[in-house]
Amino acid sequence: MASVTELGDQLAGLTIAQAVELKNYLKEKYQIEPAAGGVMVAPGGAAGGAAPAEKAAEPTEFNVILDSFADKVKTIKVVRELTGQGLGEAKATVEGAPKAIKENVDKKTAEDVKKKLEETGAKVTIKPAG
């Protein structure tokens, strides 16, 4: 079995798509789901007999995820405009969807980015950062 450090390093290196796949696997196989605050909780409540968690604070930072695109050229142009990436980087970002376009931004910025990308026919998700 991998050490805790090795396992932590592997988890930190996951792409968004791999993290979603891992979440789905843990939910289906072991009925383990992320709880508020990102802690994994097995069925039956809080781990380790911990006190009930306080109500989670409203997120203030968000990640904008490009899920898919309809017009690659238009989407690449908007990604370049939003991120300052060069043509090759923006192309790789778009082709690598699902991919984070903006991370740790406020809600208004996230909504503006989403709107610009959706105008190209792209499908976009806004998720709380963290």
Side-chain angles (χ1 to χ4, degrees):
M1 180 175 202
S3 74
V4 172
T5 304
E6 292 170 334
L7 184 58
D9 290 343
Q10 288 176 345
L11 288 173
L14 293 177
T15 65
I16 292 171
Q18 290 170 322
V20 169
E21 185 179 343
L22 175 61
K23 177 191 76 99
N24 292 338
Y25 170 77
L26 291 173
K27 182 177 180 180
E28 289 174 21
K29 178 101 177 174
Y30 300 103
Q31 292 77 42
I32 298 174
E33 294 185 87
V39 177
M40 298 300 281
V41 178
E54 294 180 24
K55 185 177 178 184
E58 185 71 24
T60 58
E61 293 186 332
F62 299 87
N63 295 337
V64 183
I65 312 298
L66 173 66
D67 295 318
S68 64
F69 56 90
D71 185 325
K72 183 168 31 175
V73 173
K74 287 182 182 177
T75 305
I76 290 171
K77 286 180 182 179
V78 171
V79 167
R80 288 186 69 196
E81 172 190 325
L82 293 170
T83 64
Q85 293 178 334
L87 180 60
E89 287 178 298
K91 182 176 183 264
T93 297
V94 170
E95 290 174 344
K99 193 83 162 185
I101 301 301
K102 285 284 191 177
E103 295 180 316
N104 303 318
V105 296
D106 62 71
K107 187 165 184 119
K108 182 176 181 345
T109 302
E111 289 171 350
D112 290 345
V113 169
K114 180 179 180 182
K115 181 180 177 189
K116 286 181 182 181
L117 287 166
E118 286 180 338
E119 288 173 355
T120 71
K123 297 213 184 296
V124 180
T125 306
I126 296 176
K127 296 182 179 180

